[in-house]
Amino acid sequence: MLEYNDDTFYKIVSLSTTNNQEITGNLSHGISHSDKLQTSNFQHSAGIKTSDGVSYESTRKRFFDLIDYFE
């Protein structure tokens, strides 16, 4: 049994999933004056960052839980 490390010999004790989202934004406005001309400019930026994750804790099954498998 110690030679095998697949899902048959382990059971999941706890499972958790995460989904994080971060939204960022920036807006700026500028005005410049000269003798005959006035200019205005806008600058903006936006972004979304997402991340997903799964974590689990598992433990090795006891021998009597695996009797059917070994038979």
Side-chain angles (χ1 to χ4, degrees), residues 26-32 39-45:
N26 186 17
L27 176 64
S28 64
H29 179 279
I31 298 174
S32 64
T39 60
S40 174
N41 63 353
F42 288 96
Q43 295 178 348
H44 62 85
S45 65

Side-chain angles (χ1 to χ4, degrees), residues 6 22-23 39 46 48 51 60 63:
D6 62 2
E22 180 182 341
I23 299 173
T39 60
I48 298 175
S51 62
R60 190 178 290 275
F63 182 76

Side-chain angles (χ1 to χ4, degrees), residues 5-6 12 17-19 28 51 59-60:
N5 285 323
D6 62 2
I12 295 176
T17 59
T18 58
N19 182 354
S28 64
S51 62
T59 184
R60 190 178 290 275

Side-chain angles (χ1 to χ4, degrees), residues 4-12 58-61 66:
Y4 299 98
N5 285 323
D6 62 2
D7 292 339
T8 305
F9 298 101
Y10 292 94
K11 65 179 175 180
I12 295 176
S58 63
T59 184
R60 190 178 290 275
K61 291 180 182 177
L66 297 167

